[in-house]
């Protein structure tokens, strides 16, 4: 059949086609599912948006608002993508140093999920994710899950710390239901991304927030019978109390994309508020004399674990390349 995008607009209605708008809720190699008028529509993607090989990047993501042609078969063809307005969550494409992979577009909020036990709380990964959200221009909420497995004394100071830094921080248990109502309040009316190490309970929490939520609602491959279910697929799940959640699969490989070393301090609120107080304007806050940040860590005003996260992330970022022009 002739591809819909090559048929002139005036002929489409004659052929039983109509135009519609929607949001990509699931994206796979050659197809996607678009939520249009509250209905999921399976759409094929014109060649320029298709993924040909693993690790390749492309300019569309879950959360993108698109224009589509509805075909008489009930399926659709994506015709165009609207400019993005909200924040985005990116990661480095596997194996490629510079390639950005947008995990989700038009996102309001990043909910960083960590567990207080099994797996034990990983403060380095927690901060890496918080920094990704800050850098992507997202509101950040921190959710410590599996509190049924630990004593409050173990995680309450961590919650208090993130609250002092200005983040919404909550303690939950998908098993006992503790904190689930607080999580609903955090999610209501927003498009949120859940991120966190594999096994911390992201899927279990989503099921507690909205029992019956079909985490495989938009499995394109299963729906089309083509290809296998890909574990890298991301989906956007509408919540019945208002809002949407982007479900990202295990993100062990999560890397900070496109952040410069000298931008990092601005992603740490406790460091950003001390900006300009060091002796050297280009202080990296590690071993320079007269550093206001190191002094604040020594004085107990900056949490040493947060400072440790800063140093680790700093070292993992490429040193500035003087030949590369800054944007
Ligand atoms: N005790 C306890 N177990 C939990 C809780 N939440 C989740 N689990 C268990 O932890 C395991 C992992 O939960 P998932 O929801 O699959 O974790 P996930 O973060 O979605 O993992 P990925 O899909 O790999 O990213 C499952 O066996 C859950 O039953 C909790 O609050 N308390
Ligand atoms: Zn400094």
């Amino acid at each position: 059949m002739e591809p819909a995008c090559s048929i002139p607009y005036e002929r489409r209605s004659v052929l039983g086609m109509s135009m519609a708008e929607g949001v990509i809720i699931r994206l796979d190699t050659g197809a996607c599912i678009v939520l249009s008028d509250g209905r999921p529509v399976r759409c094929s993607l014109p060649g320029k948006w298709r993924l040909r090989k693993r690790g390749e990047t492309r300019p569309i993501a879950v959360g993108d608002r698109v224009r589509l042609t509805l075909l008489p078969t009930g399926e659709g063809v994506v015709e165009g993508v609207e400019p993005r307005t909200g924040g985005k969550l990116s990661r480095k494409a596997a194996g490629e140093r510079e390639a950005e992979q947008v995990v989700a577009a038009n996102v309001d909020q990043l909910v960083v999920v960590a567990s207080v036990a099994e797996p034990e709380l990983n403060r380095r990964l927690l901060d890496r994710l918080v920094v990704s959200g800050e850098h992507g221009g997202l509101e950040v909420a921190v959710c410590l899950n599996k509190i049924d497995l630990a004593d409050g004394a173990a995680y309450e100071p961590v919650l208090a710390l993130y609250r002092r830094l200005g983040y919404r921080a909550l303690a939950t248990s998908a098993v006992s239901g503790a904190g689930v109502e607080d999580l609903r309040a955090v999610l209501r009316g927003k498009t949120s991304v859940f991120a966190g190490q594999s096994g911390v309970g992201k899927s279990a929490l989503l099921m507690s927030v909205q029992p019956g939520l079909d985490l495989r609602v938009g499995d394109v491959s299963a729906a089309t019978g083509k290809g296998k279910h890909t574990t890298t697929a991301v989906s956007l799940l509408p919540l019945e109390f208002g809002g949407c959640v982007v479900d990202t699969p295990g993100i062990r490989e999560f890397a900070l994309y496109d952040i410069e070393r000298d931008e990092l301090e601005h992603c740490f609120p406790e460091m950003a508020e001390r900006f300009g107080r060091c002796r050297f304007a280009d202080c990296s806050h590690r071993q320079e004399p007269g550093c206001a940040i190191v002094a604040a860590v020594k004085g107990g005003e900056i949490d040493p674990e947060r400072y440790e996260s800063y140093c680790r992330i700093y070292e993992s970022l490429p040193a500035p390349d003087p030949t590369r022009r800054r944007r």
Side-chain angles (χ1 to χ4, degrees):
M1 198 179 95
E2 203 174 351
C5 49
S6 67
I7 300 175
Y9 281 92
E10 54 279 13
R11 276 187 55 212
R12 293 183 191 189
S13 58
V14 180
L15 294 169
M17 299 175 180
S18 59
M19 297 299 291
E21 289 171 355
V23 175
I24 298 181
I25 60 170
R26 177 95 185 191
L27 189 56
D28 228 319
T29 315
C32 65
I33 292 183
V34 173
L35 191 68
S36 178
D37 263 341
R39 193 170 64 90
V41 180
R42 196 180 314 142
C43 293
S44 59
L45 288 165
K48 62 180 168 179
W49 288 312
R50 280 178 187 237
L51 275 185
R52 288 185 187 80
K53 56 179 193 281
R54 229 178 140 260
E56 191 183 47
T57 57
R58 60 177 160 188
I60 55 168
V62 161
D64 266 322
R65 286 183 285 270
V66 294
R67 279 166 278 119
L68 56 141
T69 295
L70 292 171
L71 305 175
T73 57
E75 302 202 342
V77 179
V78 171
E79 304 280 359
V81 184
E82 301 295 337
R84 290 176 182 161
T85 51
K88 64 180 180 179
L89 191 74
S90 306
R91 66 181 156 199
K92 222 163 63 170
E96 289 170 54
R97 190 159 178 268
E98 296 288 340
E100 175 183 22
Q101 194 170 17
V102 176
V103 177
N106 298 318
V107 174
D108 302 310
Q109 169 170 262
L110 176 69
V111 180
V112 178
V113 184
S115 56
V116 295
E118 299 178 23
E120 69 180 34
L121 186 57
N122 181 339
R123 295 282 302 271
R124 297 292 90 73
L125 182 62
L126 174 61
D127 284 328
R128 251 191 128 72
L129 293 172
V130 169
V131 164
S132 306
E134 285 273 357
H135 190 247
L138 304 173
E139 281 177 57
V140 176
V142 172
C143 176
L144 300 183
N145 188 39
K146 305 202 187 184
I147 57 166
D148 55 293
L149 299 179
D151 209 44
Y155 60 82
E156 268 153 16
V158 181
L159 282 181
L161 165 68
Y162 286 92
R163 285 183 188 137
R164 277 200 306 280
L165 294 172
Y167 300 110
R168 292 177 87 170
L170 58 161
T172 57
S173 167
V175 167
S176 75
V180 169
E181 201 45 53
D182 298 337
L183 182 56
R184 286 196 191 103
V186 165
L187 300 176
R188 192 165 289 128
K190 291 184 177 153
T191 296
S192 308
V193 170
F194 269 52
Q197 195 179 348
S198 182
V200 296
K202 298 180 295 296
S203 308
L205 274 175
L206 282 169
M207 297 302 286
S208 318
V209 159
Q210 183 166 316
L213 190 70
D214 185 358
L215 294 179
R216 292 173 60 93
V217 65
D219 193 329
V220 179
S221 318
T224 57
K226 281 185 214 145
K228 287 202 190 89
H229 170 69
T230 153
T231 52
T232 54
V234 175
S235 42
L236 187 66
L237 312 168
L239 297 170
E240 56 204 17
F241 52 85
C244 292
V245 165
V246 184
D247 185 26
T248 58
I251 51 155
R252 243 173 247 282
E253 77 282 26
F254 212 100
L256 296 163
Y257 173 77
D258 200 28
I259 173 164
E260 305 280 345
R261 281 183 162 185
D262 61 2
E263 291 172 326
L264 186 60
E265 62 186 303
H266 301 290
C267 300
F268 281 77
E270 66 274 55
M271 296 176 69
E273 71 179 27
R274 292 175 168 83
F275 183 66
R277 292 198 208 157
C278 301
R279 185 180 306 163
F280 300 107
D282 62 350
C283 186
S284 75
H285 318 304
R286 292 176 309 149
Q287 62 283 75
E288 294 90 337
C291 174
I293 301 300
V294 170
V297 175
K298 287 192 178 138
E301 297 149 51
I302 287 184
D303 178 71
E305 291 272 351
R306 289 274 297 169
Y307 178 67
E308 176 68 18
S309 291
Y310 167 83
C311 293
R312 296 274 196 92
I313 298 172
Y314 186 96
E315 280 147 25
S316 74
L317 297 174
D321 176 356
T323 61
R324 210 173 115 193
R325 286 220 337 260
R326 295 293 306 270
R327 274 141 299 150

